[in-house]
């Protein structure tokens, strides 16, 4: 285990992975998330700056929650982020649907092999039964 200082309060804690926050600061952040989620539900047309000011949360923190797909703005909301690949406005996540599909296809094609030896091996690796 790794001992680190909390990024928020400075206390020492056993760091496992993820955000460098102690358990108490992480609980506080989760409480703020719930408040923000409820605020956005009640005020769907609020912009990101207004949400940040009303809930005492930073704009980068809000954007992080949206990128993590923990928060999503409604379709009629003026708030949006840019796709990290093509720049299209999106409501949640890191990539638009078109870029997600391209990424999945690219990764999927990397696993497909046109090597004839591999195909021959797959054909030979079938279960066989002996006739008695």
């Amino acid at each position: 285990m790794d001992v680190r200082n909390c990024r928020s309060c400075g206390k020492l804690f056993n760091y496992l992975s993820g955000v460098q926050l102690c358990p108490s600061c992480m609980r506080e952040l989760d409480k703020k998330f719930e408040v923000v989620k409820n605020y956005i539900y009640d005020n769907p047309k609020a912009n990101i700056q207004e949400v940040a000011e009303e809930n005492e949360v930073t704009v980068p923190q809000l954007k992080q929650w949206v990128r993590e797909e923990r928060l999503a703005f409604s379709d009629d909301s003026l708030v949006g982020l840019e796709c990290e690949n093509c720049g299209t406005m999106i409501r949640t996540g890191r990539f638009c649907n078109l870029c997600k599909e391209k990424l999945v296809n690219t990764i999927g094609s990397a696993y497909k092999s046109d090597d004839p030896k591999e195909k021959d091996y797959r054909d030979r690796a079938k279960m066989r039964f002996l006739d008695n």
Side-chain angles (χ1 to χ4, degrees):
M1 276 197 277
D2 191 12
V3 177
R4 294 191 184 178
N5 288 52
C6 174
R7 202 185 301 168
S8 179
C9 68
K11 290 190 322 187
L12 287 174
F13 72 102
N14 288 330
Y15 175 75
L16 298 174
S17 65
V19 184
Q20 293 183 15
L21 294 176
C22 67
S24 62
C25 289
M26 188 62 87
R27 280 190 296 276
E28 290 297 318
L29 191 61
D30 287 339
K31 287 178 187 176
K32 282 186 178 183
F33 172 75
E34 287 299 320
V35 170
V36 168
K37 185 172 80 169
N38 292 332
Y39 182 84
I40 291 172
Y41 182 78
D42 294 338
N43 304 294
K45 293 191 179 190
N47 65 27
I48 200 161
Q49 190 65 37
E50 182 182 334
V51 173
E53 289 172 2
E54 291 292 324
N55 296 289
E56 298 175 1
V57 178
T58 63
V59 172
Q61 181 63 58
L62 286 173
K63 287 183 178 181
Q64 179 183 353
W65 285 333
V66 172
R67 293 257 184 237
E68 291 171 353
E69 296 186 1
R70 291 179 71 187
L71 282 180
F73 293 98
S74 64
D75 290 334
D76 59 345
S77 173
L78 301 175
V79 179
L81 296 175
E82 291 182 355
C83 171
E84 290 182 8
N85 189 40
C86 67
T88 304
M89 287 299 275
I90 55 176
R91 299 290 174 211
T92 189
R94 296 176 57 199
F95 302 105
C96 66
N97 289 334
L98 185 62
C99 291
K100 282 181 188 178
E101 288 176 19
K102 286 180 185 177
L103 186 61
V104 167
N105 290 337
T106 303
I107 291 172
S109 65
Y111 284 110
K112 292 180 184 175
S113 175
D114 293 331
D115 187 15
K117 291 179 185 177
E118 222 177 277
K119 287 182 181 176
D120 183 48
Y121 173 75
R122 279 188 251 144
D123 289 339
R124 288 186 288 135
K126 294 180 181 177
M127 183 179 278
R128 308 268 191 247
F129 295 98
L130 297 175
D131 291 330
N132 288 340

